[in-house]
Amino acid sequence: MFCYQCEQAAKGEGCTKIGVCGKQPDVAALQDMLIHALKGLSCVAVEGRRVGVTDDAVNRFTCEGVFSTLTNVSFDADRFVRLIHACAVHKRALQKKVKEAGGNVDMVEECRCDQKSKDELVAIGETVGIQADTGENADIRSLKQLLIYGIKGLAAYADHAAILGKSDDAVFAFIHEGLAATLNNNATVNELVGLALKCGEVNLKAMELLDAGNTERYGHPVPTQVPLGAKAGKAILVSGHDLKDLEDILKQTEGKGINVYTHGEMLPCHGYPGLKKYSHFYGHYGTAWQNQAKEFDAFPGAIVMTTNCIQKPKESYSDHIFTTGLVGWPGVTHIADKDFSPAIKKALAMPGFASDTAGKTIMTGFARNAVLGVAGKIIEAVKGKALRHFFLVGGCDGAKPGRNYYTEFVEKVPKDCVVLTLACGKFRFFDKDLGNIGGIPRLLDIGQCNDAYSAIQIAVALANAFGCGVNDLPLSMILSWYEQKACVILLSLLHLGIKNIRLGPTLPAFITPNVLNVLVENFNIMPIKTADEDLKAILG
C-alpha cells in the first residue's frame, strides 16, 4: 500500500505497511480500486452531460463513493467491495443511456468488476494506486493528487448537503470532470492548477448549499452556552458531523430518560434553535477525534459515529459504539436505516452518569448571522483602535507532535485582538477564557469545518464595510490541516485570492517542491514557525 492523503502520513512521506489511521493494506487497495472505478464512471458521466444525459443516482453514488475513501470514514473491506460492484452496475447502465443519446462511450474499458471477488479487486487495486505509473512526472502526480483530495472534501460537503435536500448539478458535474481529468496523461501543470482552483470555487457552492440546508431546517446558530460537565442519567454520545442524524436521535430519544451529548465537530450543533429546543440535549463531552479512545472508554452510555473521524474502537467499548451513514468499522454494529433503536436500547441498559458533574461552560454559535449582527460594534472597535487584529485559528486537529503551537499562539494573541475559530482544531483552546473587547468575546466559535463558508462571508462583509479587499483587512489565517476537507477549504480560499495563509503543523507530503513554489509565488502560503515568530511577523 501507499497512502499520503492525511497530515500524519508515516515519516511525513506516506504509509506503506499499514495506515497511521489504522487502514489495512487490503482496504487501501480497495479504496484505490474504487477511486479508479469512479474515474471511469466519471468519464461516462462527462460524455453524458455533453449529449444531455444526467443521472441523479449516479451523481449521489459518486459523492458517496468518493466520500467513503476520505480519511477515517470507512475501514470495512466488504463495504468497499459492494461499492465497487455497484460502481460497475451504474457505469454499464449509464453507458447504455449515453450511447442511445449518441454519445461516445468507447473511451473507457468495459467494466466487469461486479463479477470479481474481494481478493481479485484487491489485486487490481494494487496496480492502480498513486504510484502505479512510475514514469509519471512528480509534479503532475502531485497536482493530480491535490485535485483528487480536493474532490474528496468537496464530495463530503455535497453529500452532507444532499442529505438535507440541497444539491446543484454544477457540483456533481465538476466532481465528474475533475475525476475524469486525472486520467488524462497529457494534462499540463497549468491545466491541473486551474482545475484545483476550480475545485475550490465549486466547493464554495457546496458549502453554501450545506449552510442553506442546515439553517433552513434548524435556524441560524445563536450564541449559546454549552456545559462540559455531565447530568445524572442515561446517555448517548453523538460524534461526527451530521446534524440530521443528531436530530433523528433527539427525536427518537424523547421521553426515554436519555440525555444526548455531542462530541468533536458536533459541538456547534448546540447553537441551532431547531436542535437546542430539545430539553434532553444536554452538553458536550470530550474534545477532538484523536482523543476518542480515552474519552469513549470513559463514557457510560452508547456512542454513535455519524460521519468521518472514527478510530479503531477499543474492546472496552466495542459493544456500545455504533456507526451510521458512510462510516464503517469491521465488527461494529452499523445502523443503515436511521432507526437508532439499537443504540437507544444499549444506552438504557448501560449505567449512564451516576450523578451530576460540574464542569466549565463554553460558548458556541458565532456563525455569520451572529457576528454580523454586531458588525457595527466591530467596525467601531476597529476604527477606535480598541480592536487591532483578527486571527482565524482553526482547521483539523490531530495527534502528531507540533499542534501545541495553536494553543500557544492563541494564548499569546494580544488582548486587543479577536480569535475566530472553527472545526476540531478549536479543541486545543476552546475552553480558555480570553475575555472580551467592548462586549465582543475575544474567542468566537464559528462552527464546523464547513462553516468556513460563514467565516468567508464575515470576512467579505467586513471588507465591504471598510471599503477594502479581504487581503487588506486586519485579518490573518493560521490554519491546521489533517484530512481532505481541509484541503478543499484551502483550495476555496486560494480561489478567492486570499494570501499569506500560515499552514501547519507540516506541509502536505503530496505537494512537491515545485508545486509548493507555485503556491508560494501566487499566494504566499507559508509554513507555521513558532507562535512568537509568527505573531511578531504579523503584528510587528
Side-chain angles (χ1 to χ4, degrees):
M1 68 173 284
F2 182 82
C3 180
Y4 58 6
Q5 69 177 8
C6 85
E7 192 271 333
Q8 292 181 186
K11 299 180 181 179
E13 299 173 355
C15 298
T16 58
K17 295 182 179 179
I18 184 173
V20 293
C21 61
K23 181 164 58 177
Q24 298 296 317
D26 62 336
V27 172
L30 290 168
Q31 288 185 354
D32 287 341
M33 180 64 222
L34 176 58
I35 290 294
H36 180 71
L38 288 167
K39 290 177 183 180
L41 176 62
S42 294
C43 289
V44 181
V46 169
E47 177 67 5
R49 283 186 172 84
R50 191 185 70 80
V51 295
V53 175
T54 59
D55 189 311
D56 291 339
V58 167
N59 291 340
R60 286 301 308 279
F61 174 80
T62 303
C63 282
E64 290 175 354
V66 172
F67 186 10
S68 70
T69 69
L70 189 144
T71 300
N72 289 7
V73 174
S74 181
F75 297 79
D76 190 333
D78 292 338
R79 183 102 54 96
F80 284 110
V81 171
R82 292 194 292 272
L83 285 168
I84 295 167
H85 287 172
C87 187
V89 174
H90 278 296
K91 183 179 172 186
R92 280 202 301 275
L94 186 59
Q95 281 178 304
K96 182 179 179 182
K97 291 180 183 178
V98 173
K99 188 172 183 178
E100 289 173 350
N104 174 23
V105 295
D106 296 331
M107 83 293 281
V108 291
E109 61 192 29
E110 185 177 7
C111 187
R112 295 293 175 185
C113 288
D114 54 321
Q115 299 174 11
K116 297 187 182 299
S117 68
K118 179 167 72 174
D119 289 344
E120 289 173 316
L121 293 174
V122 168
I124 299 172
E126 290 171 346
T127 70
V128 296
I130 296 166
Q131 298 179 317
D133 185 352
T134 56
E136 188 173 46
N137 177 275
D139 297 330
I140 294 295
R141 178 187 293 128
S142 174
L143 286 167
K144 285 183 177 181
Q145 292 309 312
L146 175 61
L147 176 58
I148 288 171
Y149 300 150
I151 289 172
K152 288 190 181 192
L154 169 59
Y157 292 138
D159 185 64
H160 290 320
I163 287 169
L164 294 168
K166 298 291 183 180
S167 62
D168 186 324
D169 189 63
V171 175
F172 300 129
F174 175 76
I175 291 173
H176 288 135
E177 176 192 357
L179 287 174
T182 64
L183 291 177
N184 180 7
N185 294 327
N186 298 314
T188 66
V189 167
N190 287 339
E191 288 170 342
L192 291 170
V193 169
L195 282 168
L197 293 178
K198 185 177 178 181
C199 184
E201 178 184 12
V202 175
N203 185 58
L204 288 173
K205 168 56 70 175
M207 290 195 297
E208 180 183 16
L209 290 168
L210 178 53
D211 179 87
N214 285 334
T215 56
E216 288 176 16
R217 190 177 184 101
Y218 307 114
H220 283 276
V222 296
T224 302
Q225 284 197 332
V226 183
L228 300 181
K231 192 173 183 179
K234 307 294 184 178
I236 285 182
L237 185 64
V238 184
S239 191
H241 299 77
D242 197 288
L243 273 64
K244 189 174 184 302
D245 284 341
L246 175 61
E247 180 190 27
D248 290 344
I249 290 168
L250 288 167
K251 285 180 177 179
Q252 293 175 33
T253 51
E254 272 193 298
K256 290 184 166 61
I258 298 174
N259 294 313
V260 176
Y261 298 77
T262 54
H263 176 269
E265 286 257 46
M266 299 301 284
L267 167 61
C269 297
H270 290 275
Y272 286 90
L275 297 173
K276 63 187 294 184
K277 69 182 181 181
Y278 291 93
S279 60
H280 62 302
F281 187 26
Y282 179 66
H284 187 78
Y285 174 92
T287 52
W289 65 271
Q290 76 276 5
N291 302 318
Q292 66 186 251
K294 179 180 178 181
E295 293 170 353
F296 289 1
D297 186 49
F299 189 75
I303 303 158
V304 179
M305 298 297 300
T306 66
T307 54
N308 54 309
C309 295
I310 193 171
Q311 289 183 297
K312 181 179 181 179
K314 293 174 67 174
E315 187 176 345
S316 57
Y317 60 84
S318 61
D319 69 333
H320 56 270
I321 184 171
F322 301 82
T323 59
T324 191
L326 298 177
V327 191
W329 194 282
V332 169
T333 300
H334 186 72
I335 297 173
D337 58 2
K338 304 303 180 181
D339 177 356
F340 292 98
S341 298
I344 294 169
K345 183 178 179 181
K346 178 61 71 172
L348 291 172
M350 294 185 68
F353 289 100
S355 60
D356 292 351
T357 303
K360 288 184 178 180
T361 60
I362 52 97
M363 292 289 292
T364 191
F366 292 101
R368 69 182 188 284
N369 269 28
V371 174
L372 295 179
V374 294
K377 293 177 67 175
I378 292 173
I379 294 167
E380 182 181 341
V382 172
K383 289 182 175 178
K385 304 200 183 299
L387 201 170
R388 180 170 33 151
H389 205 86
F390 298 91
F391 292 94
L392 176 59
V393 186
C396 305
D397 203 2
K400 199 172 181 179
R403 290 181 180 268
N404 58 317
Y405 162 92
Y406 298 94
T407 309
E408 183 182 352
F409 188 95
V410 168
E411 290 174 339
K412 291 184 174 181
V413 165
K415 295 189 183 299
D416 58 355
C417 302
V418 167
V419 175
L420 308 171
T421 191
L422 50 77
C424 62
K426 71 166 92 29
F427 290 111
R428 293 281 166 171
F429 47 79
F430 80 123
D431 57 350
K432 295 188 179 299
D433 183 3
L434 301 185
N436 65 83
I437 299 174
I440 302 167
R442 288 189 56 235
L443 180 60
L444 301 174
D445 179 11
I446 297 173
Q448 295 183 333
C449 55
N450 51 279
D451 290 311
Y453 176 77
S454 261
I456 290 167
Q457 298 308 307
I458 291 168
V460 170
L462 289 176
N464 290 338
F466 286 111
C468 66
V470 172
N471 288 315
D472 300 315
L473 284 171
L475 167 68
S476 299
M477 297 191 180
I478 318 295
L479 305 182
S480 55
W481 80 283
Y482 174 69
E483 40 89 317
Q484 297 80 65
K485 288 180 179 177
C487 292
V488 78
I489 288 172
L490 178 62
L491 292 177
S492 292
L493 295 174
L494 298 184
H495 158 73
L496 292 170
I498 294 174
K499 298 182 178 181
N500 306 317
I501 296 170
R502 284 172 167 79
L503 183 65
T506 59
L507 295 178
F510 54 83
I511 297 292
T512 62
N514 288 335
V515 173
L516 178 60
N517 284 339
V518 171
L519 298 179
V520 171
E521 290 172 5
N522 288 279
F523 304 101
N524 198 32
I525 285 184
M526 61 194 88
I528 58 173
K529 294 182 180 178
T530 66
D532 288 326
E533 286 178 291
D534 288 342
L535 281 168
K536 183 177 180 180
I538 293 167
L539 298 175

